[in-house]
Amino acid sequence: MIDTVKIIMDEAAPSWGVCDFELLRSRLIECRAKSRLPENAKRVITAVFPYLLSEENYKNSNISKYAVVGDYHTVINGRMKKAVEKLQEEFPGESFVTFTDNSPIPEVSAALLSGLGVMGENSLFIHERYGTYVFIGEIVTSLDLPCTGSEVKMCIHCKKCRNACPTHAIGDRGPDPARCLSAINQKKGELTEEEKALIKSTGCAWGCDICQTVCPMNLKAELSDIEEFINSAVAHIESGCEIEGRAYEWRGKKVIERNLSILNEE
């Protein structure tokens, strides 16, 4: 059984693991997608998709690295749905439901409990090979697979991410999401002068990579070989750019145009 699952999942994702669904039951996120969970859920297969590209792909970049590649929802959903179709064929009596981002499964917790990496002080998941530069998808199943992990492990606590954060969003009790620069430049409406200055100083129109860039556990992060990411890379965006199929599309054109305007101010 496990050999069949391994073949299917290895084809879908560069790295994956399995954890007990019961370890996540008390942490489930209330959302519409929760109704899709199989009643007889036993395991969560967590798949990791690296997105870090070679430096030449980030030349003159003015957006976060995760936004340089095409919308990951499309890529991950496509791969995970194919995996589910194959798993369902092999195990017709079992249930398999896939989730990406809009998920009742706390994806970082699932990845940690599957033994795929550690939790950073910035609350980002750090994969053992790909660092923080990963997207995560899950398959919840009734299939009784052997688990690959069961506990949450933490990073080396060097505090470099905390010290480098321009908004001092990372504290002793973890990060304050509202103060994160990535959250600030994704806000709708008018920004304060201080918020505008932060965007201007970092030169980033969407997201923020500062805490990832300084993380020593990212120094040897492996590059992605996912063709869909490599072929869709767009590092520098300008006013009037096409946003369809990009990570910033969901927020609407006004937000990204506002940020670009701030960066272009004299």
Side-chain angles (χ1 to χ4, degrees), residues 21 24 28-29 37 44 99 101 103-108 110 138 140:
F21 177 77
L24 294 167
L28 293 177
I29 299 167
L37 285 169
V44 178
F99 298 95
D101 196 21
S103 169
I105 302 297
E107 59 183 25
V108 170
E138 311 89 43
V140 181

Side-chain angles (χ1 to χ4, degrees), residues 66-261:
Y66 89 90
V68 168
V69 300
D71 190 353
Y72 65 93
H73 296 88
T74 303
V75 176
I76 296 178
N77 280 336
R79 287 181 169 231
M80 296 292 266
K81 284 180 179 178
K82 285 182 181 179
V84 163
E85 289 173 2
K86 293 178 181 179
L87 289 167
Q88 201 72 73
E89 288 177 7
E90 294 291 336
F91 307 99
E94 305 290 350
S95 300
F96 300 92
V97 181
T98 183
F99 298 95
T100 303
D101 196 21
N102 180 25
S103 169
I105 302 297
E107 59 183 25
V108 170
S109 295
L112 293 167
L113 292 169
S114 296
L116 295 175
V118 301
M119 168 76 91
E121 274 197 279
N122 54 4
S123 81
L124 294 180
F125 168 69
I126 308 174
H127 187 265
E128 55 191 358
R129 289 166 52 198
Y130 302 114
T132 58
Y133 303 111
V134 295
F135 300 124
I136 302 171
E138 311 89 43
I139 296 174
V140 181
T141 179
S142 60
L143 189 63
D144 194 3
L145 293 166
C147 296
T148 57
S150 62
E151 61 180 333
V152 172
K153 296 180 180 180
M154 304 301 293
C155 69
I156 59 177
H157 291 295
C158 66
K159 298 189 178 352
K160 288 190 175 182
C161 62
R162 182 191 297 206
N163 295 333
C165 179
T167 62
H168 309 291
I170 307 170
D172 291 335
R173 297 183 178 180
D176 179 352
R179 293 175 62 187
C180 175
L181 180 56
S182 184
I184 289 172
N185 64 28
Q186 294 181 42
K187 286 168 57 176
K188 287 187 174 183
E190 186 68 23
L191 300 180
T192 67
E193 292 304 314
E194 181 183 8
E195 290 170 336
K196 291 178 182 178
L198 282 168
I199 293 175
K200 187 86 170 172
S201 66
T202 59
C204 191
W206 184 267
C208 179
D209 287 329
I210 292 173
C211 66
Q212 299 186 91
T213 302
V214 301
C215 178
M217 299 185 76
N218 271 337
L219 289 177
K220 296 183 179 180
E222 295 180 27
L223 300 183
S224 176
D225 63 358
I226 297 176
E227 290 295 326
E228 297 97 315
F229 291 155
I230 297 171
N231 296 335
S232 63
V234 177
H236 184 82
I237 60 174
E238 298 179 355
S239 180
C241 67
E242 178 57 62
I243 68 171
E244 185 176 354
R246 314 308 300 185
Y248 32 89
E249 177 187 5
W250 73 276
R251 211 39 163 155
K253 200 151 190 171
K254 287 184 178 180
V255 171
I256 194 69
E257 288 287 350
R258 177 201 63 200
N259 296 345
L260 287 169
S261 177

Side-chain angles (χ1 to χ4, degrees), residues 50-65:
Y51 64 82
L52 183 65
L53 307 178
S54 60
E55 279 303 314
E56 62 186 34
N57 289 282
Y58 302 121
K59 186 177 180 181
N60 199 28
S61 179
N62 61 351
I63 53 177
S64 178
K65 285 182 171 64

